[in-house]
Amino acid sequence: MKNTNTVKKKPDTPDRSTEEKIKEAARTVFTRKGFAATRTRDIAEEAGLNLALLNYYFRSKEKLFEIVMLEKMQVFFGFIGPIIYDESTSLELKVEGIVSQYIDMLQDNPDIPFFIMGEARNNPAILANAMPRKDFLRNSIFIKQLKERKPDQDPYQFLLSMLGMIIFPFLLKPVFQKITDTEDPKFKQMMKARRELIPAWCRAILKLK
Amino acid sequence: MKNTNTVKKKPDTPDRSTEEKIKEAARTVFTRKGFAATRTRDIAEEAGLNLALLNYYFRSKEKLFEIVMLEKMQVFFGFIGPIIYDESTSLELKVEGIVSQYIDMLQDNPDIPFFIMGEARNNPAILANAMPRKDFLRNSIFIKQLKERKPDQDPYQFLLSMLGMIIFPFLLKPVFQKITDTEDPKFKQMMKARRELIPAWCRAILKLK
DNA sequence: GGAAAAATTAATCATTTGATTAAAATATTT
DNA sequence: AAATATTTTAATCAAATGATTAATTTTTCC
Protein backbone atom coordinates (compact mmCIF):
# COMPACT_ATOMS: atom_id res chain seq x y z
CA MET A 1 0.00 0.00 0.00
CA LYS A 2 1.10 3.48 -0.69
CA ASN A 3 2.68 5.56 2.01
CA THR A 4 0.46 8.33 3.30
CA ASN A 5 1.69 11.74 4.24
CA THR A 6 0.86 11.08 7.86
CA VAL A 7 2.51 8.06 9.41
CA LYS A 8 5.11 6.07 7.60
CA LYS A 9 4.54 2.47 8.48
CA LYS A 10 7.56 0.33 7.89
CA PRO A 11 7.71 -3.46 8.06
CA ASP A 12 9.88 -4.81 10.82
CA THR A 13 12.67 -6.28 8.75
CA PRO A 14 12.39 -4.57 5.42
CA ASP A 15 14.85 -4.90 2.66
CA ARG A 16 15.93 -1.30 2.85
CA SER A 17 18.02 -1.52 -0.25
CA THR A 18 15.34 -0.18 -2.59
CA GLU A 19 14.77 2.99 -0.63
CA GLU A 20 18.49 3.43 -0.15
CA LYS A 21 19.16 2.78 -3.83
CA ILE A 22 16.79 5.59 -4.71
CA LYS A 23 18.41 7.98 -2.28
CA GLU A 24 21.85 7.09 -3.54
CA ALA A 25 20.80 7.60 -7.15
CA ALA A 26 19.11 10.86 -6.22
CA ARG A 27 22.29 12.08 -4.52
CA THR A 28 24.27 11.34 -7.62
CA VAL A 29 21.94 12.85 -10.19
CA PHE A 30 20.68 15.85 -8.23
CA THR A 31 24.18 16.83 -7.18
CA ARG A 32 25.51 16.54 -10.69
CA LYS A 33 22.70 18.20 -12.61
CA GLY A 34 20.75 20.25 -10.09
CA PHE A 35 17.04 20.09 -9.38
CA ALA A 36 15.66 21.61 -12.55
CA ALA A 37 17.78 19.61 -14.98
CA THR A 38 17.14 16.32 -13.22
CA ARG A 39 14.27 14.17 -14.43
CA THR A 40 12.78 11.62 -12.11
CA ARG A 41 13.36 9.11 -14.87
CA ASP A 42 17.08 9.85 -14.66
CA ILE A 43 17.06 8.89 -11.02
CA ALA A 44 15.01 5.76 -11.61
CA GLU A 45 17.36 4.70 -14.36
CA GLU A 46 20.45 5.46 -12.28
CA ALA A 47 18.96 3.30 -9.52
CA GLY A 48 17.88 0.61 -11.94
CA LEU A 49 14.35 0.75 -10.60
CA ASN A 50 10.82 1.38 -11.77
CA LEU A 51 9.90 5.05 -11.94
CA ALA A 52 6.84 4.63 -9.76
CA LEU A 53 8.97 3.55 -6.84
CA LEU A 54 10.26 7.08 -6.41
CA ASN A 55 6.77 8.30 -5.63
CA TYR A 56 6.05 5.22 -3.60
CA TYR A 57 8.95 5.68 -1.18
CA PHE A 58 9.17 9.44 -1.33
CA ARG A 59 6.17 11.60 -2.00
CA SER A 60 7.50 13.64 -4.84
CA LYS A 61 10.57 14.86 -6.63
CA GLU A 62 10.62 17.84 -4.27
CA LYS A 63 10.56 15.74 -1.12
CA LEU A 64 13.35 13.54 -2.39
CA PHE A 65 15.33 16.60 -3.29
CA GLU A 66 14.90 18.13 0.14
CA ILE A 67 16.38 15.04 1.74
CA VAL A 68 19.42 15.13 -0.52
CA MET A 69 19.86 18.86 -0.04
CA LEU A 70 19.72 18.53 3.75
CA GLU A 71 22.39 15.85 3.67
CA LYS A 72 24.66 17.87 1.45
CA MET A 73 24.33 21.00 3.55
CA GLN A 74 25.30 18.90 6.52
CA VAL A 75 28.42 17.73 4.73
CA PHE A 76 29.24 21.22 3.53
CA PHE A 77 28.82 23.08 6.82
CA GLY A 78 28.98 20.26 9.34
CA PHE A 79 32.62 20.00 10.16
CA ILE A 80 33.57 23.65 10.51
CA GLY A 81 31.53 24.11 13.69
CA PRO A 82 33.94 22.24 15.95
CA ILE A 83 36.87 24.07 14.41
CA ILE A 84 35.62 27.65 14.56
CA TYR A 85 34.26 27.24 18.08
CA ASP A 86 37.45 25.73 19.49
CA GLU A 87 38.67 28.02 22.26
CA SER A 88 42.02 26.33 22.57
CA THR A 89 43.50 26.82 19.11
CA SER A 90 45.11 29.81 17.44
CA LEU A 91 43.79 31.56 14.38
CA GLU A 92 46.53 30.05 12.26
CA LEU A 93 45.75 26.56 13.49
CA LYS A 94 42.08 27.03 12.71
CA VAL A 95 42.93 28.09 9.19
CA GLU A 96 45.04 24.97 8.74
CA GLY A 97 42.20 22.80 10.00
CA ILE A 98 39.59 24.41 7.80
CA VAL A 99 41.76 24.23 4.71
CA SER A 100 42.78 20.63 5.06
CA GLN A 101 39.36 19.37 6.06
CA TYR A 102 37.62 21.31 3.30
CA ILE A 103 40.01 20.12 0.64
CA ASP A 104 39.65 16.52 1.79
CA MET A 105 35.89 16.85 1.68
CA LEU A 106 35.93 18.50 -1.74
CA GLN A 107 38.19 15.85 -3.19
CA ASP A 108 35.50 13.33 -2.26
CA ASN A 109 32.53 15.55 -3.08
CA PRO A 110 33.63 17.90 -5.84
CA ASP A 111 30.06 18.64 -6.88
CA ILE A 112 28.85 19.89 -3.53
CA PRO A 113 29.74 23.59 -3.70
CA PHE A 114 28.21 24.10 -7.07
CA PHE A 115 25.13 22.19 -6.08
CA ILE A 116 24.52 24.21 -2.93
CA MET A 117 25.25 27.57 -4.50
CA GLY A 118 23.13 26.78 -7.50
CA GLU A 119 20.10 25.80 -5.51
CA ALA A 120 20.64 28.73 -3.18
CA ARG A 121 20.22 30.96 -6.20
CA ASN A 122 17.29 29.22 -7.82
CA ASN A 123 15.38 28.25 -4.75
CA PRO A 124 16.39 30.21 -1.67
CA ALA A 125 13.36 28.93 0.22
CA ILE A 126 14.54 25.35 0.24
CA LEU A 127 17.72 26.34 2.02
CA ALA A 128 16.05 28.02 4.95
CA ASN A 129 15.79 24.79 6.89
CA ALA A 130 19.23 23.43 6.26
CA MET A 131 21.14 26.69 6.48
CA PRO A 132 23.24 27.34 9.60
CA ARG A 133 21.73 29.78 12.03
CA LYS A 134 22.37 33.49 11.62
CA ASP A 135 24.72 33.65 14.57
CA PHE A 136 26.59 30.47 13.75
CA LEU A 137 29.42 32.39 12.18
CA ARG A 138 29.06 35.70 14.00
CA ASN A 139 29.43 34.22 17.47
CA SER A 140 32.32 31.94 16.61
CA ILE A 141 35.74 32.12 18.21
CA PHE A 142 37.21 32.22 14.75
CA ILE A 143 35.51 35.51 13.92
CA LYS A 144 36.37 36.90 17.33
CA GLN A 145 40.04 36.07 16.79
CA LEU A 146 39.95 37.65 13.36
CA LYS A 147 38.55 40.86 14.82
CA GLU A 148 41.30 40.95 17.39
CA ARG A 149 43.99 40.41 14.80
CA LYS A 150 42.61 42.96 12.34
CA PRO A 151 40.42 45.37 14.30
CA ASP A 152 40.00 47.77 11.42
CA GLN A 153 38.91 45.22 8.82
CA ASP A 154 35.69 43.36 8.27
CA PRO A 155 36.50 39.79 9.34
CA TYR A 156 34.32 38.40 6.57
CA GLN A 157 36.71 39.86 4.02
CA PHE A 158 39.38 37.43 5.09
CA LEU A 159 36.90 34.58 5.39
CA LEU A 160 35.65 35.11 1.84
CA SER A 161 39.20 35.06 0.53
CA MET A 162 40.16 31.95 2.41
CA LEU A 163 37.06 30.11 1.25
CA GLY A 164 37.61 31.41 -2.26
CA MET A 165 41.10 30.01 -2.36
CA ILE A 166 39.83 26.67 -1.07
CA ILE A 167 36.57 26.20 -2.93
CA PHE A 168 36.85 28.18 -6.13
CA PRO A 169 39.26 25.83 -7.92
CA PHE A 170 36.70 23.05 -7.59
CA LEU A 171 34.03 25.26 -9.10
CA LEU A 172 36.27 26.31 -11.94
CA LYS A 173 37.51 22.77 -12.50
CA PRO A 174 35.77 22.01 -15.83
CA VAL A 175 36.74 25.38 -17.29
CA PHE A 176 40.24 25.27 -15.85
CA GLN A 177 40.94 21.78 -17.14
CA LYS A 178 39.78 22.73 -20.59
CA ILE A 179 41.85 25.91 -20.77
CA THR A 180 45.03 24.56 -19.21
CA ASP A 181 44.82 21.00 -20.46
CA THR A 182 45.05 19.59 -16.97
CA GLU A 183 44.10 15.95 -16.48
CA ASP A 184 42.37 14.64 -13.39
CA PRO A 185 45.42 13.22 -11.59
CA LYS A 186 47.35 16.44 -12.10
CA PHE A 187 44.39 18.47 -10.85
CA LYS A 188 44.06 16.27 -7.80
CA GLN A 189 47.73 16.68 -7.06
CA MET A 190 47.41 20.46 -7.37
CA MET A 191 44.57 20.50 -4.89
CA LYS A 192 46.61 18.42 -2.50
CA ALA A 193 49.46 20.91 -2.76
CA ARG A 194 47.05 23.68 -1.81
CA ARG A 195 46.66 22.11 1.63
CA GLU A 196 50.08 23.58 2.40
CA LEU A 197 49.99 26.61 0.14
CA ILE A 198 46.77 28.21 1.32
CA PRO A 199 47.62 28.24 5.04
CA ALA A 200 50.99 29.79 4.21
CA TRP A 201 49.31 32.45 2.09
CA CYS A 202 46.77 33.10 4.82
CA ARG A 203 49.53 33.56 7.36
CA ALA A 204 51.12 36.13 5.09
CA ILE A 205 47.81 37.93 4.74
CA LEU A 206 47.17 37.90 8.45
CA LYS A 207 50.63 39.33 9.16
CA LEU A 208 50.02 42.33 6.93
CA LYS A 209 49.92 45.86 8.30
CA MET B 1 8.00 34.79 -43.94
CA LYS B 2 9.96 32.58 -41.70
CA ASN B 3 13.72 32.66 -41.71
CA THR B 4 15.30 29.61 -43.23
CA ASN B 5 18.36 27.90 -41.85
CA THR B 6 20.34 28.85 -44.91
CA VAL B 7 20.44 32.55 -45.64
CA LYS B 8 19.07 35.07 -43.21
CA LYS B 9 17.40 37.73 -45.25
CA LYS B 10 16.98 40.97 -43.43
CA PRO B 11 14.90 43.91 -44.61
CA ASP B 12 16.86 47.08 -45.28
CA THR B 13 15.50 49.21 -42.51
CA PRO B 14 14.05 46.79 -40.07
CA ASP B 15 12.81 47.67 -36.66
CA ARG B 16 15.44 45.65 -34.87
CA SER B 17 13.89 46.16 -31.49
CA THR B 18 11.96 42.89 -31.49
CA GLU B 19 14.96 40.74 -32.18
CA GLU B 20 16.99 42.72 -29.70
CA LYS B 21 14.24 42.49 -27.09
CA ILE B 22 14.34 38.72 -27.37
CA LYS B 23 18.10 38.62 -27.03
CA GLU B 24 18.00 40.92 -24.06
CA ALA B 25 15.32 38.84 -22.36
CA ALA B 26 17.24 35.68 -23.18
CA ARG B 27 20.37 37.15 -21.62
CA THR B 28 18.49 37.93 -18.46
CA VAL B 29 16.65 34.65 -18.05
CA PHE B 30 19.33 32.26 -19.27
CA THR B 31 21.98 33.91 -17.14
CA ARG B 32 19.81 33.84 -14.05
CA LYS B 33 18.35 30.36 -14.34
CA GLY B 34 20.60 28.44 -16.70
CA PHE B 35 19.62 26.60 -19.83
CA ALA B 36 17.71 23.67 -18.34
CA ALA B 37 15.60 25.68 -15.92
CA THR B 38 14.69 28.31 -18.49
CA ARG B 39 11.45 27.87 -20.43
CA THR B 40 11.03 29.60 -23.71
CA ARG B 41 7.82 31.01 -22.30
CA ASP B 42 9.84 32.71 -19.57
CA ILE B 43 11.86 34.50 -22.20
CA ALA B 44 8.81 35.47 -24.23
CA GLU B 45 7.14 36.84 -21.13
CA GLU B 46 10.27 38.71 -20.03
CA ALA B 47 10.41 40.27 -23.49
CA GLY B 48 6.67 40.94 -23.55
CA LEU B 49 6.37 39.16 -26.87
CA ASN B 50 4.55 36.27 -28.44
CA LEU B 51 6.20 32.93 -27.89
CA ALA B 52 6.32 32.09 -31.57
CA LEU B 53 8.62 35.03 -32.21
CA LEU B 54 11.49 33.26 -30.51
CA ASN B 55 11.38 30.53 -33.14
CA TYR B 56 10.76 33.07 -35.84
CA TYR B 57 13.89 35.10 -35.16
CA PHE B 58 16.06 32.35 -33.77
CA ARG B 59 15.67 28.77 -34.81
CA SER B 60 15.38 27.15 -31.44
CA LYS B 61 16.01 27.51 -27.75
CA GLU B 62 19.46 26.01 -28.30
CA LYS B 63 20.43 28.51 -30.99
CA LEU B 64 19.32 31.41 -28.88
CA PHE B 65 21.24 30.04 -25.96
CA GLU B 66 24.42 29.66 -27.97
CA ILE B 67 24.31 33.33 -28.87
CA VAL B 68 23.91 34.38 -25.27
CA MET B 69 26.64 32.01 -24.11
CA LEU B 70 29.07 33.33 -26.69
CA GLU B 71 28.44 36.88 -25.58
CA LYS B 72 28.90 36.06 -21.93
CA MET B 73 32.13 34.19 -22.53
CA GLN B 74 33.36 37.25 -24.37
CA VAL B 75 32.54 39.43 -21.39
CA PHE B 76 34.05 36.99 -18.96
CA PHE B 77 37.34 36.37 -20.75
CA GLY B 78 37.53 39.33 -23.08
CA PHE B 79 39.27 41.99 -21.09
CA ILE B 80 42.05 39.97 -19.48
CA GLY B 81 43.87 39.39 -22.77
CA PRO B 82 45.23 42.96 -23.08
CA ILE B 83 46.29 42.89 -19.44
CA ILE B 84 48.08 39.55 -19.30
CA TYR B 85 49.85 40.13 -22.61
CA ASP B 86 51.11 43.60 -21.70
CA GLU B 87 54.91 43.51 -21.86
CA SER B 88 55.35 46.87 -20.19
CA THR B 89 53.71 46.32 -16.81
CA SER B 90 54.90 44.55 -13.69
CA LEU B 91 53.27 41.51 -12.15
CA GLU B 92 51.84 43.61 -9.35
CA LEU B 93 50.35 46.10 -11.76
CA LYS B 94 48.75 43.31 -13.75
CA VAL B 95 47.18 41.94 -10.59
CA GLU B 96 45.75 45.36 -9.80
CA GLY B 97 44.33 45.65 -13.28
CA ILE B 98 42.77 42.21 -13.26
CA VAL B 99 41.26 42.67 -9.82
CA SER B 100 39.72 46.05 -10.44
CA GLN B 101 38.44 45.24 -13.91
CA TYR B 102 37.00 41.91 -12.81
CA ILE B 103 35.26 43.38 -9.81
CA ASP B 104 33.80 46.17 -11.91
CA MET B 105 32.55 43.64 -14.42
CA LEU B 106 31.11 41.39 -11.73
CA GLN B 107 29.32 44.25 -10.04
CA ASP B 108 27.51 44.79 -13.32
CA ASN B 109 27.15 41.10 -14.22
CA PRO B 110 27.00 39.18 -10.96
CA ASP B 111 25.39 36.16 -12.61
CA ILE B 112 28.09 35.56 -15.19
CA PRO B 113 30.49 33.31 -13.30
CA PHE B 114 27.82 30.96 -12.12
CA PHE B 115 26.26 30.85 -15.53
CA ILE B 116 29.49 29.96 -17.30
CA MET B 117 30.65 27.43 -14.76
CA GLY B 118 27.26 25.82 -14.63
CA GLU B 119 26.96 25.35 -18.34
CA ALA B 120 30.58 24.23 -18.52
CA ARG B 121 29.59 21.38 -16.23
CA ASN B 122 26.32 20.44 -17.83
CA ASN B 123 27.24 20.96 -21.43
CA PRO B 124 30.99 21.06 -22.02
CA ALA B 125 30.48 20.79 -25.77
CA ILE B 126 28.81 24.15 -26.07
CA LEU B 127 31.84 25.86 -24.58
CA ALA B 128 34.31 24.51 -27.08
CA ASN B 129 33.67 27.36 -29.52
CA ALA B 130 33.68 30.22 -27.10
CA MET B 131 36.49 29.02 -24.87
CA PRO B 132 39.87 30.77 -25.12
CA ARG B 133 42.56 28.81 -26.96
CA LYS B 134 44.69 26.35 -25.06
CA ASP B 135 47.75 28.58 -25.20
CA PHE B 136 45.92 31.79 -24.36
CA LEU B 137 46.99 31.59 -20.75
CA ARG B 138 50.14 29.52 -21.10
CA ASN B 139 51.86 31.91 -23.48
CA SER B 140 50.93 35.06 -21.61
CA ILE B 141 53.42 37.48 -20.12
CA PHE B 142 51.53 37.20 -16.86
CA ILE B 143 52.30 33.50 -16.52
CA LYS B 144 55.90 34.07 -17.61
CA GLN B 145 56.34 36.72 -14.93
CA LEU B 146 54.81 34.42 -12.34
CA LYS B 147 57.25 31.66 -13.25
CA GLU B 148 60.17 34.07 -12.88
CA ARG B 149 58.96 35.24 -9.52
CA LYS B 150 58.24 31.77 -8.15
CA PRO B 151 60.28 29.32 -10.21
CA ASP B 152 59.51 26.38 -7.95
CA GLN B 153 55.74 26.80 -7.87
CA ASP B 154 53.03 26.06 -10.41
CA PRO B 155 51.96 29.52 -11.62
CA TYR B 156 48.38 28.37 -11.86
CA GLN B 157 48.29 27.92 -8.10
CA PHE B 158 48.58 31.66 -7.63
CA LEU B 159 46.18 32.35 -10.47
CA LEU B 160 43.52 30.10 -8.97
CA SER B 161 43.83 31.86 -5.64
CA MET B 162 43.66 35.31 -7.11
CA LEU B 163 40.61 34.44 -9.16
CA GLY B 164 39.07 32.71 -6.17
CA MET B 165 39.43 35.82 -4.05
CA ILE B 166 37.89 37.91 -6.81
CA ILE B 167 35.10 35.72 -8.11
CA PHE B 168 34.11 33.42 -5.28
CA PRO B 169 32.30 36.04 -3.18
CA PHE B 170 29.94 36.66 -6.09
CA LEU B 171 29.22 32.96 -6.34
CA LEU B 172 28.63 32.63 -2.62
CA LYS B 173 26.57 35.80 -2.50
CA PRO B 174 23.12 34.27 -1.87
CA VAL B 175 24.44 31.91 0.79
CA PHE B 176 26.68 34.55 2.33
CA GLN B 177 23.92 37.12 2.54
CA LYS B 178 21.60 34.64 4.19
CA ILE B 179 24.15 33.49 6.77
CA THR B 180 25.57 36.88 7.63
CA ASP B 181 22.47 38.99 7.15
CA THR B 182 24.21 41.25 4.68
CA GLU B 183 22.04 43.52 2.57
CA ASP B 184 22.82 44.41 -1.03
CA PRO B 185 24.35 47.85 -0.45
CA LYS B 186 26.64 46.50 2.26
CA PHE B 187 27.66 43.61 0.00
CA LYS B 188 28.41 45.98 -2.84
CA GLN B 189 30.50 48.12 -0.57
CA MET B 190 32.42 45.06 0.60
CA MET B 191 33.19 44.09 -2.98
CA LYS B 192 34.39 47.60 -3.68
CA ALA B 193 36.72 47.40 -0.70
CA ARG B 194 38.20 44.21 -2.14
CA ARG B 195 39.58 46.20 -5.07
CA GLU B 196 42.25 47.42 -2.66
CA LEU B 197 42.41 44.42 -0.35
CA ILE B 198 43.04 41.68 -2.89
CA PRO B 199 46.01 43.36 -4.61
CA ALA B 200 47.59 43.96 -1.20
CA TRP B 201 47.05 40.34 -0.25
CA CYS B 202 48.46 39.19 -3.56
CA ARG B 203 51.57 41.30 -3.06
CA ALA B 204 52.06 39.65 0.32
CA ILE B 205 51.66 36.22 -1.25
CA LEU B 206 54.09 37.04 -4.05
CA LYS B 207 56.71 38.29 -1.58
CA LEU B 208 56.70 35.01 0.32
CA LYS B 209 59.76 32.80 0.48
C1' DG C 1 -3.14 53.07 -53.27
C1' DG C 2 -2.19 48.39 -53.84
C1' DA C 3 0.62 44.31 -54.12
C1' DA C 4 4.30 41.87 -52.01
C1' DA C 5 7.05 40.97 -48.05
C1' DA C 6 7.72 40.76 -43.29
C1' DA C 7 6.17 40.57 -38.62
C1' DT C 8 2.88 39.07 -35.24
C1' DT C 9 -0.74 36.34 -33.20
C1' DA C 10 -3.76 32.54 -31.57
C1' DA C 11 -4.35 27.90 -31.88
C1' DT C 12 -2.49 23.58 -32.02
C1' DC C 13 0.88 19.59 -32.10
C1' DA C 14 4.06 16.21 -30.35
C1' DT C 15 6.98 15.12 -26.82
C1' DT C 16 8.50 15.20 -22.24
C1' DT C 17 7.75 14.74 -17.49
C1' DG C 18 5.97 14.24 -12.68
C1' DA C 19 2.59 11.63 -10.85
C1' DT C 20 -1.10 8.04 -10.31
C1' DT C 21 -3.55 3.70 -10.67
C1' DA C 22 -4.78 -0.96 -10.89
C1' DA C 23 -2.97 -5.24 -11.33
C1' DA C 24 0.74 -8.53 -10.50
C1' DA C 25 4.44 -10.30 -7.74
C1' DT C 26 6.62 -10.96 -3.43
C1' DA C 27 6.94 -11.18 1.47
C1' DT C 28 4.86 -11.70 6.05
C1' DT C 29 1.73 -13.42 9.38
C1' DT C 30 -1.36 -16.55 11.36
C1' DA D 1 -1.13 -23.13 3.18
C1' DA D 2 -4.35 -19.36 3.26
C1' DA D 3 -4.87 -14.72 4.17
C1' DT D 4 -3.01 -10.39 4.52
C1' DA D 5 0.24 -6.83 3.85
C1' DT D 6 3.88 -4.97 1.22
C1' DT D 7 6.49 -4.11 -2.88
C1' DT D 8 6.94 -3.76 -7.82
C1' DT D 9 5.40 -3.20 -12.49
C1' DA D 10 3.18 -1.61 -16.83
C1' DA D 11 0.02 1.46 -18.45
C1' DT D 12 -1.81 5.78 -18.33
C1' DC D 13 -2.94 10.71 -17.09
C1' DA D 14 -2.55 15.61 -16.94
C1' DA D 15 0.23 19.40 -17.22
C1' DA D 16 4.20 21.60 -19.10
C1' DT D 17 7.01 22.72 -22.91
C1' DG D 18 9.50 23.43 -27.43
C1' DA D 19 7.99 23.99 -31.78
C1' DT D 20 4.89 24.73 -35.83
C1' DT D 21 1.09 26.38 -38.65
C1' DA D 22 -2.26 29.16 -40.75
C1' DA D 23 -4.40 33.31 -40.44
C1' DT D 24 -4.02 38.30 -39.48
C1' DT D 25 -1.74 42.64 -39.10
C1' DT D 26 1.86 45.71 -40.26
C1' DT D 27 5.48 47.38 -43.15
C1' DT D 28 7.86 48.02 -47.53
C1' DC D 29 8.15 49.24 -52.16
C1' DC D 30 6.49 50.30 -56.77
Side-chain angles (χ1 to χ4, degrees), chain A residues 8-171:
Chain A
K8 181 150 193 176
K9 194 166 135 210
K10 272 282 170 52
D12 289 334
T13 51
D15 176 22
R16 281 295 183 81
S17 73
T18 296
E19 189 169 345
E20 191 44 50
K21 269 186 214 159
I22 295 174
K23 274 215 294 217
E24 186 53 39
R27 275 183 212 113
T28 304
V29 183
F30 274 140
T31 314
R32 191 169 56 221
K33 318 214 306 180
F35 179 81
T38 295
R39 292 161 301 176
T40 53
R41 281 165 177 80
D42 295 336
I43 299 174
E45 192 182 351
E46 171 84 20
L49 294 170
N50 187 290
L51 169 64
L53 290 172
L54 301 214
N55 295 73
Y56 177 75
Y57 282 99
F58 307 89
R59 301 268 300 150
S60 65
K61 183 187 176 187
E62 273 81 7
K63 292 261 186 241
L64 183 53
F65 179 79
E66 273 176 42
I67 292 170
V68 172
M69 170 57 90
L70 220 73
E71 279 184 17
K72 295 296 177 182
M73 295 282 281
Q74 204 60 36
V75 175
F76 194 69
F77 291 111
F79 62 81
I80 56 171
I83 299 179
I84 65 177
Y85 275 91
D86 190 334
E87 307 239 10
S88 71
T89 56
S90 68
L91 195 50
E92 280 78 5
L93 220 58
K94 286 190 178 64
V95 170
E96 275 182 41
I98 293 171
V99 170
S100 66
Q101 291 227 39
Y102 247 117
I103 289 186
D104 285 351
M105 184 270 283
L106 290 169
Q107 294 269 27
D108 294 334
N109 306 274
D111 289 333
I112 277 199
F114 195 87
F115 173 68
I116 290 180
M117 291 173 202
E119 303 304 328
R121 276 165 50 102
N122 302 338
N123 194 354
I126 214 166
L127 289 201
N129 308 322
M131 200 76 93
R133 304 211 346 253
K134 277 255 157 54
D135 52 7
F136 171 71
L137 261 181
R138 203 183 49 225
N139 294 348
S140 68
I141 311 292
F142 183 65
I143 292 295
K144 196 205 297 181
Q145 287 173 317
L146 266 176
K147 279 182 190 157
E148 282 165 10
R149 184 71 61 92
K150 300 245 196 176
D152 52 343
Q153 189 178 105
D154 186 334
Y156 295 118
Q157 293 282 17
F158 173 82
L159 180 68
L160 283 173
S161 290
M162 184 186 68
L163 292 179
M165 291 191 276
I166 298 170
I167 298 173
F168 181 74
F170 291 90
L171 294 165

Side-chain angles (χ1 to χ4, degrees), chain B residues 12-13 38-41 52 55 60-61:
Chain B
D12 291 335
T13 53
T38 295
R39 292 161 301 177
T40 53
R41 281 165 177 81
N55 295 76
S60 65
K61 184 186 175 187

